[in-house]
């Protein structure tokens, strides 16, 4: 049971990435590849600042700000330079690979003998997995509640309107460019925080650790949406957390079947493809029945 408990705890940490990507994927209506860059940026900044002696909480905040700046780069490329979202994400992703190397001054950086956020709870919980679980629960709840409140405000509604219909939003006096930049900043800030938490759990940051993480985030979103329908925005964000946990448990189950850890990315891609294809398959089946 220990491996499943660990998978649930890790699913909570990765769910923050799913929540962050949801902002661009469902509200701005595109899958932002910047997420892979911001995930690695968050990890690199958190580990580097921790090794320099910064308090773990401040290190996490620093990673969040670094992720926001990463999202801002993509936002500026998209809005003010009118570069398509896909290309803007690829440009940012490519550029920040080198920036992460400069931040860490090497390909990977260890946290050996460095106090992490989880170590702050040592007196409360002796088990390391329980500490990860508690941190994951607290941070996901905070992020979900804050986003749920934010999207009820005028600014949040303006952001939603900008994603739904740019022409209508512009006619209402909303600065669509500003809304897109703010959404990308919020999205990538949350994703960077996820990267920082995963790096502290692993005990190191690696320049390549963001590769393929967008698949994990998309899988969390799609699984959550397939299982739970007709939900409020806050409940949808909670469904992403459940989707992320189920996704990690599914990977553990696959590992138990004898697959190698190196097969995880292939399995992740297949899981995402299957869940994305299910709605179309259901429509075809219903059409045949009606025909």
């Amino acid at each position: 049971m220990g491996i499943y408990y660990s998978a649930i705890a890790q699913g909570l940490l990765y769910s923050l990435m799913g929540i962050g990507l949801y902002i661009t994927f469902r509200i701005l209506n595109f899958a932002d590849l910047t997420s892979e860059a911001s995930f690695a940026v968050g990890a690199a900044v958190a580990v580097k600042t921790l090794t320099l002696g910064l308090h773990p909480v401040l290190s996490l905040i620093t990673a969040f700000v670094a992720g926001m700046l990463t999202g801002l780069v993509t936002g500026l490329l998209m809005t003010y330079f009118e570069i398509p979202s896909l290309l803007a994400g690829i440009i940012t992703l490519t550029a920040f690979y080198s920036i992460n190397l400069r931040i860490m001054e090497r390909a990977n950086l260890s946290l050996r003998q460095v106090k992490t956020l989880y170590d702050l709870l040592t007196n409360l919980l002796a088990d390391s997995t329980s500490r990860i679980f508690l941190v994951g629960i607290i941070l996901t709840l905070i992020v979900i509640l804050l986003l749920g409140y934010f999207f009820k405000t005028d600014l949040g509604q303006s952001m939603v309107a900008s994603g739904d219909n740019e022409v209508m939003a512009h006619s209402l006096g909303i600065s669509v460019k500003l809304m897109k930049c703010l959404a990308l900043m919020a999205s990538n800030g949350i994703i960077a925080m996820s990267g920082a938490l995963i790096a502290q759990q692993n005990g190191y940051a690696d320049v390549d650790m963001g590769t393929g993480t967008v698949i994990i985030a998309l899988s969390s979103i799609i699984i959550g949406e397939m299982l739970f329908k007709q939900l409020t925005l806050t409940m949808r964000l909670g469904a992403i957390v459940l989707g992320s946990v189920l996704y990690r448990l599914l990977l553990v189950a696959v590992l138990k079947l004898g697959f190698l850890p190196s097969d995880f990315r292939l399995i992740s891609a297949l899981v995402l493809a299957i869940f994305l294809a299910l709605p179309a398959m259901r429509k075809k089946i219903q059409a045949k029945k009606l025909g």
Side-chain angles (χ1 to χ4, degrees):
M1 290 298 293
I3 190 171
Y4 291 104
Y5 183 41
S6 178
I8 293 171
Q10 195 171 58
L12 290 170
L13 302 185
Y14 273 108
S15 69
L16 288 170
M17 185 173 186
I19 291 170
L21 189 64
Y22 182 88
I23 297 173
T24 53
F25 185 57
R26 287 307 186 205
I27 293 177
L28 295 186
N29 298 313
F30 75 95
D32 181 25
L33 290 180
T34 313
S35 57
E36 296 196 357
S38 54
F39 186 88
V41 166
V45 169
V47 172
K48 183 64 176 182
T49 52
L50 284 170
T51 58
L52 293 175
L54 192 66
H55 190 278
V57 175
L58 294 177
S59 177
L60 189 65
I61 295 171
T62 305
F64 177 79
V65 173
M68 291 182 70
L69 294 175
T70 308
L72 178 61
V73 172
T74 300
L76 293 175
L77 290 174
M78 285 175 52
T79 56
Y80 291 95
F81 296 100
E82 297 183 358
I83 297 174
S85 58
L86 178 62
L87 291 178
I90 291 173
I91 291 170
T92 306
L93 177 61
T94 304
F96 272 85
Y97 183 89
S98 296
I99 292 173
N100 286 336
L101 283 173
R102 283 189 173 271
I103 291 171
M104 296 191 295
E105 299 178 332
R106 63 194 71 181
N108 55 64
L109 188 61
S110 174
L111 280 173
R112 184 176 299 174
Q113 297 181 341
V114 176
K115 192 173 184 179
T116 67
L117 185 65
Y118 308 114
D119 294 326
L120 298 178
L121 301 174
T122 302
N123 293 332
L124 181 63
L125 296 168
D127 180 53
S128 60
T129 304
S130 296
R131 294 198 296 269
I132 295 168
F133 184 88
L134 181 60
V135 168
I137 283 287
I138 292 172
L139 288 178
T140 50
L141 280 175
I142 291 173
V143 170
I144 288 172
L145 291 174
L146 286 176
L147 285 178
Y149 172 77
F150 170 76
F151 282 112
K152 292 178 182 178
T153 65
D154 291 341
L155 181 60
Q157 288 296 304
S158 297
M159 194 177 290
V160 173
S162 298
D164 286 342
N165 191 320
E166 290 187 23
V167 176
M168 182 192 72
H170 190 269
S171 68
L172 293 173
I174 297 171
S175 174
V176 175
K177 290 182 178 181
L178 177 61
M179 291 302 106
K180 285 185 176 181
C181 286
L182 290 176
L184 282 160
M185 290 173 69
S187 169
N188 286 283
I190 295 170
I191 292 169
M193 191 162 59
S194 176
L197 292 170
I198 292 295
Q200 290 180 66
Q201 181 207 6
N202 293 340
Y204 68 91
D206 188 274
V207 71
D208 290 316
M209 69 185 299
T211 305
T213 49
V214 68
I215 295 294
I216 298 173
L218 285 172
S219 298
S220 302
I221 295 170
I222 300 302
I223 292 172
E225 289 180 341
M226 289 293 295
L227 294 176
F228 305 97
K229 302 181 184 295
Q230 305 298 325
L231 301 176
T232 63
L233 178 61
T234 303
M235 294 173 70
R236 286 180 189 177
L237 297 177
I240 293 171
V241 178
L242 292 176
S244 178
V245 169
L246 289 173
Y247 172 78
R248 303 308 301 185
L249 290 173
L250 179 61
L251 289 184
V252 170
V254 169
L255 185 63
K256 289 284 188 179
L257 293 175
F259 287 88
L260 298 174
S262 57
D263 296 327
F264 274 4
R265 288 189 181 179
L266 172 61
I267 295 165
S268 299
L270 289 174
V271 168
L272 180 58
I274 290 169
F275 274 93
L276 285 172
L278 279 176
M281 292 171 64
R282 285 177 179 174
K283 287 182 181 179
K284 287 181 179 180
I285 292 171
Q286 289 176 354
K288 286 182 178 180
K289 289 181 178 179
L290 293 173

